Each structure stands twice: as C-alpha cells, then as structure tokens.
Amino acid sequence: MKTTLEYAQQLDQQDALRKYRDQFYFPQHEGKNCLYFCGNSLGLQAKTTRSYIEKELLHWEKEGVEGHFRGDMPWKDYHHFFSVQAAKIVGAKPEEIVIMNTLTANLHFLLVSFYRPTKQRFKVLMEGGAFPSDQYAIETQVKFHGYDPEEAIIEVEPRAGEETLRTEDILSKIEEHKNELALVMFGGVNYYTGQYFDLKSITKAGQKVGAVVGYDLAHAAGNVPVQLHDWNVDFAVWCTYKYLNSGPGGPGGVFVHERHGKNPDLPRFAGWWGHNEDERFLMKKGFQPMPGAAGWQLSNAQVFSMAAHKASLDIFDEVGMETLRQKSEQLTAYMVFLIEDLNQKGHQFNVITPTNPAERGCQLSILTDENGKALHEYLTKNGVVSDWREPNVIRVAPVPMYNSFEDVYHFVRLLAEV
Ligand SMILES: *Cc1c(COP(=O)(O)O)cnc(C)c1O
C-alpha cells in the first residue's frame, strides 16, 4: 500500500462497489460531499428510499383500508417481504427472522422468552461497557424477576492495560459461573471499541454450561458476516438505521433459532400479529403463535419505516454481504495503514479497535491524547462527520457501501494536519 492520493484513487477505480456511492445522498460541506464516517450511527439515505415510501403513501391515498389487502405488497403481509433478504444478512433461515418494532423493545420481548432465571441459574454475562440501552434492559429485567443486578450481572472487562476483550477471558468467565448462568448476552460488535467478538465460540461455551445465548447485532448487522443459524445462536436483535441505512428510528430485526420457533409453549408477550395468520381476522379467543420468529410479533407492520428498510435491503441483496465485507476489510485496512504511517512520522494515534480483520468490522476507534476534543472539532470544521465519545475516543466508520478510498485518504490527511 502507498500513502499517495493517486494510490487511493487507483483503489477506487478498482472498487467493485464504486457505483453504489452515487446511489446515496451525502450531507454537504462547502458545496462538496462531507467525509461521512458515521454510518455506524446513522447510515446514509439511498436515493431510492423516497420512491419506496411514496409508493406506500400513494397506496394509502388510492385504497384507504383496502391497502391491507390489495396491490403487490398488501400491508397485512408486509412483514413477509423482508425475511428472505434480512435472513441473508445475518445467516439465518427466513422463518427465523422477523422485522418489527425497534431494537430495545425487541430485546425486552425476547428476554421475556429467553431470560427465565431460577434461584440456581439467574446470572447474565455481558461485555463490560455494553451500550447503555442494553445495560438498562438487562438491569431492569433482572430486577423485574426479583434479583439483584449487582449479584446477577457479570461483566467481562479487559485486562489491565488493554482496551478490548480476549476470547479466552470471556470463555473462562462463562466457566467460572457455569452453574449460575441463565443467559449470555453480548453485543456482536462493541459500539465503543469496534471489537467483533468470536460469537461462534461464545455461543458454544455458553450453551455447553446450560445458558441461553443471545446477541445485540446493532453494530454487526450489515457490517460483518454472521451465521446465526449455523452457530446455533438462541436469539438476536438488531436495528436497521446504522449499517443498514433504513432511516432514523427504523424498524428492528429479530432472530429466533428454529429450535425455539417450533415451540409454541415458549412463554412470550403476545399480540394479534403473532397469532396464526390463517385465523388472525376471525378474532377468536386463545393465542396460537405463528411458527418461527413471526410468532413474536405484536402489532401490524409500521409500513412507512419498513418501506425505507425495503429500499435498503434491495441494495444489500444486490451487493451481497460477502462482496461488501471484502471491500470493508480492504477499506479499513487502508485506514489502519495510513494511520500507522502517521505514527511513524511522530504522531500518536492509538487505534484501540483490533486491527485483525477477523476481530473488527469497518469501524476504527481512535484514542487521542488530551487534545482529542479539539481534534474532533477541527475535523468537523473541515467537513468530516465522525463521532466523539467521552473521554477521548473518535469513532470513524468507513462504510464499504458508500465510502471511498479517497474519503479515507482525505480523513487521514486532516489528522496529519493537526
Ligand atoms: C444503537 C444501539 C442501540 C439503540 O437502541 P434503540 O432501541 O434502537 O434506540 C441499542 N443497543 C446497541 C448495542 C446499539 O448499538
């Protein structure tokens, strides 16, 4: 790899995904595209999104309530139009997937089924520094069941002097609490460090000691390849507005392994949309869950936000996770290379994200010195959209779908200027 602009432009020329950049709207800075590195927080809008939402507006305009039953995408079946494409993104079977509600709400609904503590087994193992919403969900679930979060929640922390977790430490924590663990609940990719955990090994180890294993894939879905079905994961949830570009507050994704989807006796909090759809409109007493993840639905589809998600899924389907990941590994490796080059020239940018591609997605978290905040402000003034996290981390996500090698080049050039 080389540190020149020409080299970055050459990589862009060879990029199999280069045409997709033009299919997204970039916020503008002084008449040019921003250097947008916040797709880990809110993905950009695909130019097709508007027409997908307008289609549903028009359908409503023309058909009123009949829109539920007419057209090529009748609203009563709307959730069916997602499972095949969403399943490919997380390595699942279509019946193991449903798109509904939002992320934290879904986490709670799945915990109703999958966190069922007993006096003997009541503990939950999490990564230390999990996203606050996940911490609050687990804390309040534990309390709801009458246990003390201090005792019940076990957090795995990095070793002294380290920033990320070692898989061996996660596995030995599982072993240490093996008789009391009810649940292992991890983020797939940690939002702060960008570390991609070894979900296959964690799943195996957790289930071996008799715990249920579930993941929050908010920072993993559409970012790293996961194989939820083959890894035998019990359940997972994710949001669609980060890497999946489906707009603010976009709908949530849910995975329930088919082993559980086949079990109508699993306790759950039900609604009419999870009821056997052949009889849904008979309005009868007695809940009979649909088989699969669909049996966890509560309400009829949020059509407008799901329309935006469909626009995005159609693009992901065309590109494919494998191709996307290939570019992603290369794009982020290029950023690592340029930052290491700066460090050799006397800068001190400490990338805390593992640089091994198998242990990261596209995001890099850069630990700065005491001038970090000023650095972030400088970047912002110069058209970079990145994310500042107290006390001193800048998170940057070169997103393979729409970021270019030249974006990465200009970003690191700005770092060098400070
Ligand atoms: C982004 C994110 C959330 C946000 O939750 P919402 O319910 O969508 O607001 C929760 N957990 C994780 C791990 C996240 O990254």
Side-chain angles (χ1 to χ4, degrees):
M1 286 195 263
K2 294 181 200 153
T3 59
T4 60
L5 173 60
E6 292 68 34
Y7 182 73
Q9 288 169 338
Q10 192 186 324
L11 291 176
D12 282 330
Q13 284 300 318
Q14 296 160 359
D15 173 11
L17 302 185
R18 72 179 177 280
K19 74 168 187 188
Y20 289 96
R21 181 177 176 81
D22 280 341
Q23 297 183 19
F24 287 84
Y25 291 113
F26 282 75
Q28 299 292 298
H29 174 78
E30 294 175 354
K32 287 196 304 202
N33 286 350
C34 280
L35 297 171
Y36 193 84
F37 291 114
C38 249
N40 55 350
S41 196
L42 186 74
L44 292 180
Q45 183 187 146
K47 291 179 181 171
T48 49
T49 309
R50 186 185 303 263
S51 66
Y52 281 68
I53 296 176
E54 277 177 351
K55 176 180 171 190
E56 301 309 332
L57 280 170
L58 191 67
H59 194 49
W60 183 23
E61 183 183 317
K62 300 275 183 223
E63 303 285 359
V65 70
E66 292 301 328
H68 281 294
F69 308 101
R70 291 189 187 152
D72 59 339
M73 291 177 79
W75 299 326
K76 80 169 171 50
D77 299 326
Y78 211 73
H79 64 275
H80 287 293
F81 307 129
F82 296 83
S83 31
V84 170
Q85 291 178 333
K88 286 190 209 164
I89 287 174
V90 293
K93 296 186 175 181
E95 59 272 23
E96 292 174 318
I97 298 290
V98 73
I99 300 297
M100 64 176 193
N101 308 331
T102 49
L103 172 56
T104 309
N106 287 335
L107 179 57
H108 276 295
F109 286 122
L110 291 191
L111 289 172
V112 167
S113 304
F114 295 107
Y115 176 57
R116 292 162 57 208
T118 62
K119 279 215 161 54
Q120 171 67 32
R121 276 190 187 276
F122 61 95
K123 293 187 176 174
V124 184
L125 188 92
M126 306 177 72
E127 87 249 40
F131 194 92
S133 202
D134 300 35
Q135 293 185 35
Y136 305 152
I138 296 291
E139 177 190 328
T140 54
Q141 285 274 340
V142 163
K143 282 188 181 163
F144 175 77
H145 286 284
Y147 296 90
D148 174 8
E150 288 285 329
E151 195 193 351
I153 302 174
I154 314 294
E155 293 181 318
V156 191
E157 299 290 348
R159 293 185 187 185
E162 298 184 5
E163 302 286 348
T164 51
L165 300 183
R166 298 193 191 196
T167 304
E168 63 197 273
D169 290 355
I170 300 170
L171 303 188
S172 66
K173 266 279 189 269
I174 291 173
E175 194 56 29
E176 188 185 325
H177 295 273
K178 65 179 173 193
N179 296 321
E180 298 103 49
L181 266 192
L183 173 69
V184 176
M185 166 72 215
F186 259 66
V189 172
N190 180 266
Y191 81 101
Y192 185 78
T193 63
Q195 179 177 17
Y196 175 24
F197 298 112
D198 182 349
L199 303 185
K200 187 179 177 186
S201 303
I202 296 171
T203 308
K204 209 165 150 199
Q207 290 172 345
K208 192 169 150 226
V209 304
V212 172
V213 182
Y215 297 115
D216 183 332
L217 301 180
H219 280 261
N223 179 23
V224 290
V226 292
Q227 296 298 335
L228 296 179
H229 177 83
D230 288 350
W231 295 344
N232 202 39
V233 172
D234 290 287
F235 71 92
V237 288
W238 60 94
C239 58
T240 59
Y241 49 80
K242 292 173 179 167
Y243 293 105
L244 291 172
N245 307 328
S246 302
V254 162
F255 165 87
V256 176
H257 198 280
E258 68 177 2
R259 289 176 287 124
H260 304 303
K262 283 182 191 153
N263 178 5
D265 299 328
L266 254 188
R268 64 192 87 190
F269 286 173
W272 73 319
W273 229 252
H275 185 82
N276 172 8
E277 65 185 352
D278 300 331
E279 299 198 344
R280 186 185 291 146
F281 293 98
L282 300 182
M283 307 313 214
K284 288 202 299 201
K285 263 204 185 310
F287 176 67
Q288 302 163 14
M290 300 258 293
W296 270 263
Q297 292 175 106
L298 288 99
S299 299
N300 70 96
Q302 306 134 260
V303 168
F304 298 125
S305 63
M306 284 165 75
H309 187 36
K310 187 73 175 91
S312 172
L313 284 178
D314 282 350
I315 298 174
F316 269 84
D317 209 38
E318 194 180 289
V319 172
M321 276 308 293
E322 213 169 293
T323 313
L324 199 68
R325 175 65 168 167
Q326 259 170 23
K327 174 176 171 190
S328 178
E329 289 188 5
Q330 198 192 4
L331 191 63
T332 297
Y334 181 57
M335 186 180 271
V336 171
F337 165 77
L338 291 179
I339 291 173
E340 281 172 356
D341 177 66
L342 283 193
N343 288 344
Q344 276 172 15
K345 292 171 179 156
H347 290 271
Q348 289 180 8
F349 295 108
N350 179 7
V351 175
I352 62 172
T353 309
T355 49
N356 171 10
E359 297 171 65
R360 59 159 174 80
C362 70
Q363 171 187 326
L364 293 181
S365 302
I366 306 171
L367 194 65
T368 63
D369 61 13
E370 69 278 8
N371 300 316
K373 190 123 203 207
L375 168 64
H376 184 253
E377 278 162 20
Y378 180 80
L379 294 171
T380 305
K381 254 202 335 245
N382 284 280
V384 175
V385 183
S386 64
D387 164 298
W388 172 255
R389 288 285 133 148
E390 296 290 349
N392 52 1
V393 160
I394 294 176
R395 299 187 307 168
V396 275
V399 168
M401 186 70 89
Y402 47 70
N403 280 123
S404 64
F405 290 86
E406 197 175 330
D407 284 345
V408 170
Y409 171 87
H410 289 302
F411 169 75
V412 181
R413 180 182 52 80
L414 286 168
L415 281 185
E417 275 175 19
V418 178

